[in-house]
Amino acid sequence: MLLGLKFINIHATFDSMDKESDPKLYEISYLARAADDQAALECAALVGGAIEKEHGIIATQNQPTRKVLSYPVGGEKEGWWGWIKFMARPEALAAIEQSLKDDSKKIVRFAIFKVNRAEMSERPARKRRIIQTPAAEKTDIAEIDKKLEEMLGK
């Protein structure tokens, strides 16, 4: 401290500000209202389009699968469930959410989660352990009968 002034590391402050707006990895899980496979793929394209419209980059996605719901959601007893992992800036999430809310006739429900990058990597293949069992000893039937007679007391 010099003359009661406190020095601040300006570079560290700017670095932390930049990291807050850096793109992060997210996963969106959605339930779509669709009549068939083709309509479900159109709903998936709709979700992907909302992400790309906000300059997001799609990393991976699955093909939507038909699910029977435990309880009605939005009046539907069945739906098409899918997910997309994507990179986007945190401030773009609000616009993506609003875009999907506007398409509520096709997208019944959705949720966006932040994903840890370590989870994105593939799990290493499991190593198989081979346990060798000792070979069974060959015994005669006569020996077995003799041991049984000793045990039973005959």
Side-chain angles (χ1 to χ4, degrees):
M1 269 174 85
L2 182 67
L3 301 173
L5 297 175
K6 188 175 177 184
F7 290 100
I8 300 172
N9 187 350
I10 296 172
H11 297 291
T13 305
F14 285 126
D15 287 345
S16 64
M17 288 172 60
D18 288 341
K19 291 185 184 212
E20 290 175 7
S21 64
D22 281 348
K24 297 190 179 359
L25 185 62
Y26 296 98
E27 177 179 330
I28 185 166
S29 178
Y30 60 91
L31 182 65
R33 180 180 292 134
D36 58 359
D37 290 342
Q38 188 62 32
L41 290 175
E42 289 173 7
C43 290
L46 180 83
V47 175
I51 292 167
E52 290 173 345
K53 182 175 134 186
E54 296 301 321
H55 307 290
I57 301 169
I58 295 175
T60 58
Q61 66 182 17
N62 77 333
Q63 183 171 357
T65 56
R66 185 178 207 103
K67 298 284 182 183
V68 176
L69 305 175
S70 299
Y71 57 90
V73 177
E76 297 292 323
K77 294 182 180 179
E78 294 181 339
W80 292 82
W81 176 80
W83 55 263
I84 298 175
K85 289 188 180 177
F86 64 97
M87 298 280 294
R89 294 190 181 276
E91 54 270 6
L93 293 180
I96 293 170
E97 286 182 18
Q98 189 58 46
S99 176
L100 293 176
K101 284 179 184 175
D102 292 343
D103 292 321
S104 62
K105 292 188 184 218
K106 292 183 180 178
I107 305 299
V108 178
R109 191 172 281 179
F110 67 92
I112 299 176
F113 306 98
K114 186 175 176 186
V115 177
N116 188 357
R117 287 181 192 245
E119 293 175 6
M120 188 73 174
S121 64
E122 293 288 326
R123 283 184 15 183
R126 237 178 135 179
K127 294 181 183 177
R128 292 183 166 221
R129 291 188 298 173
I130 300 173
I131 301 172
Q132 301 216 356
T133 56
E137 297 177 21
K138 293 184 179 181
T139 55
D140 290 339
I141 295 176
E143 288 179 25
I144 294 173
D145 287 338
K146 184 178 175 184
K147 287 181 182 179
L148 281 173
E149 287 177 7
E150 289 174 7
M151 287 182 192
L152 296 173
K154 287 188 175 181

